[in-house]
C-alpha cells in the first residue's frame, strides 16, 4: 500500500518521520501485510501528539498489539504505567511478575544480550526502540571470555541487571543464529526478569527523550482468553481506572534512591 495518498505527492522517509500525523515506522512495516494493524486507540491512525491528552484515559493501544491473542509470550496481558500517567498495554513474556524502576531507552539495532547484562542499567526498565527483538536468540551463558576468564564471552556481566524489558515485536521461539542456545524469553525466565512486547516503543522513546527519564511500573495482568481481552482490560477502553482491578499493583521504585555502586561492587565480590 502507498505510504502517502496526499495530493502533494509521495513523502520522503524523513518527512514521514517528522510528520505528527503518521504512524510509526514499525506500523508502516506492518501495514504492508495487514492494513488494519495500524489502527490506533479509537480505530484510526493516532498522532503521537495526542498521546499526552490520553494520559488520563485507558491504556494506549500500539500498532503491534493484536486483539487475537499472544502466541509468543506467557499468554498474559501487561500494562506499562508511566510516572506521567500514560499507560501502554502489551503482552507479557519472560518472568511472570510485575516490576518497577526508571524508564530508559536504547536505540541499537542489535546487542540486546549485551544491553540487558550491562550493570549501568541496573534497576531500570529498558525500552528497546528497534522494532524487532529476539530474532537471533541468546548465546551460551557458560562460555567464558578467553582473556577475562570470569566474564561471559557474549555478555557484559554474568547476570541480567535490568528490572524489566519493553519491546515492540518479539520473535518468541522463532530465533535463528549459529550461537543461539535459547530464546530471549527463556533466558529472562531463568533470571526472573519480566518483559513485555506489543508496545509502540518509538512513541514511548520520543516521550522519554522529550521529558527525560521517568519512573515506570510494568504490571502483570490476567490471562488472555480466546476471544480477546474483556471490557475491563481492553486497551480501547476509555476508562483509565477500570483496568487496574485486573492487574497487579506494586509500589513505585526509584533506583536513584539506592546505592547502585555498592550493589555493583557486591556482585563483583560474589563473582570473585
Amino acid at each position: 500500500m502507498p505510504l502517502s495518498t496526499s495530493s502533494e505527492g509521495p513523502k520522503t522517509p524523513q518527512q514521514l518521520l517528522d510528520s505528527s500525523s503518521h504512524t510509526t515506522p514499525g506500523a508502516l512495516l506492518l501495514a504492508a501485510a495487514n492494513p488494519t494493524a495500524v489502527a490506533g486507540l479509537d480505530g484510526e491512525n493516532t498522532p503521537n501528539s495526542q498521546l499526552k491528552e490520553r494520559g488520563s484515559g485507558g491504556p494506549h493501544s500500539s500498532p503491534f498489539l493484536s486483539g487475537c491473542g499472544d502466541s509468543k509470550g506467557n499468554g498474559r496481558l501487561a500494562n506499562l504505567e508511566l510516572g506521567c500517567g500514560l499507560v501502554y498495554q502489551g503482552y507479557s513474556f519472560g518472568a511472570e511478575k510485575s516490576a518497577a524502576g526508571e524508564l530508559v531507552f536504547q536505540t541499537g539495532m542489535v546487542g540486546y544480550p549485551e544491553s540487558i547484562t550491562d550493570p549501568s542499567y541496573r534497576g531500570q526498565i529498558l525500552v528497546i526502540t528497534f522494532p524487532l527483538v529476539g530474532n537471533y536468540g541468546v548465546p551460551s551463558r557458560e562460555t567464558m571470555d578467553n582473556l577475562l576468564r570470569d566474564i561471559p564471552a557474549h555478555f557484559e556481566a554474568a547476570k541480567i541487571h535490568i528490572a524489566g524489558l519493553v519491546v515492540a515485536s518479539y520473535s518468541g521461539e522463532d530465533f535463528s543464529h549459529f550461537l543461539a542456545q535459547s530464546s530471549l524469553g527463556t533466558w529472562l525466565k531463568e533470571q526472573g526478569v519480566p518483559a513485555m512486547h506489543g508496545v509502540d516503543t518509538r512513541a514511548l522513546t520520543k516521550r522519554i527523550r522529550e521529558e527525560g527519564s521517568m519512573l515506570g511500573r510494568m504490571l502483570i495482568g490476567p490471562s488472555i482468553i480466546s476471544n480477546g481481552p474483556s471490557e475491563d482490560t481492553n486497551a480501547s477502553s476509555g476508562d483509565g481506572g477500570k483496568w487496574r482491578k485486573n492487574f497487579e499493583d506494586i509500589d513505585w521504585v526509584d533506583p536513584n534512591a539506592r546505592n547502585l555502586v555498592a550493589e555493583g561492587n557486591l556482585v563483583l565480590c560474589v563473582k570473585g
Side-chain angles (χ1 to χ4, degrees):
M1 61 180 291
L3 298 183
S4 174
T5 56
S6 169
S7 59
E8 299 175 357
K11 293 184 178 181
T12 66
Q14 187 59 49
Q15 288 174 324
L16 285 169
L17 290 175
D18 294 337
S19 171
S20 63
S21 60
H22 66 79
T23 53
T24 65
L28 292 175
L29 293 175
L30 291 178
N34 183 6
T36 63
V38 299
L41 189 64
D42 299 320
E44 59 188 16
N45 292 346
T46 307
N48 291 329
S49 60
Q50 295 180 14
L51 293 179
K52 187 172 183 180
E53 286 72 24
R54 286 177 173 165
S56 59
H60 171 61
S61 180
S62 164
F64 299 94
L65 182 60
S66 169
C68 61
D70 172 33
S71 61
K72 298 181 178 180
N74 299 325
R76 300 182 66 176
L77 290 173
N79 279 353
L80 177 66
E81 183 178 13
L82 279 58
C84 64
L86 189 65
V87 177
Y88 288 83
Q89 188 166 92
Y91 296 123
S92 166
F93 74 101
E96 295 187 43
K97 58 186 288 189
S98 298
E102 181 183 32
L103 275 171
V104 295
F105 65 86
Q106 189 252 38
T107 59
M109 296 178 65
V110 294
Y112 56 83
E114 293 85 353
S115 295
I116 66 178
T117 54
D118 190 335
S120 67
Y121 287 123
R122 187 171 181 84
Q124 297 176 321
I125 297 175
L126 180 62
V127 178
I128 297 183
T129 307
F130 190 69
L132 181 61
V133 175
N135 53 310
Y136 57 91
V138 178
S140 170
R141 276 75 100 186
E142 286 75 34
T143 304
M144 295 294 156
D145 187 89
N146 290 330
L147 296 176
L148 304 172
R149 303 289 184 177
D150 59 341
I151 301 296
H154 308 291
F155 311 113
E156 296 298 306
K159 62 179 291 184
I160 297 175
H161 282 277
I162 61 171
L165 181 66
V166 181
V167 303
S169 181
Y170 170 54
S171 297
E173 298 298 321
D174 299 327
F175 58 88
S176 178
H177 194 276
F178 73 101
L179 289 176
Q181 297 292 311
S182 76
S183 67
L184 173 59
T186 297
W187 186 32
L188 290 168
K189 286 181 179 179
E190 291 175 359
Q191 299 275 314
V193 177
M196 62 186 293
H197 70 97
V199 175
D200 188 343
T201 54
R202 179 181 175 275
L204 179 55
T205 295
K206 288 182 66 176
R207 176 167 292 274
I208 298 173
R209 185 180 62 192
E210 293 168 359
E211 300 187 11
S213 59
M214 63 184 73
L215 299 184
R217 299 193 300 177
M218 186 185 300
L219 306 175
I220 193 75
S223 298
I224 304 169
I225 57 179
S226 58
N227 59 348
S230 68
E231 181 181 352
D232 290 348
T233 62
N234 199 329
S236 64
S237 172
D239 185 354
K242 202 170 185 179
W243 59 269
R244 293 185 184 276
K245 64 181 181 180
N246 294 302
F247 288 77
E248 289 185 3
D249 186 23
I250 60 174
D251 293 333
W252 295 90
V253 175
D254 185 359
N256 296 304
R258 291 154 43 193
N259 190 341
L260 298 177
V261 174
E263 292 182 17
N265 286 337
L266 179 60
V267 172
L268 292 177
C269 290
V270 170
K271 287 177 61 181

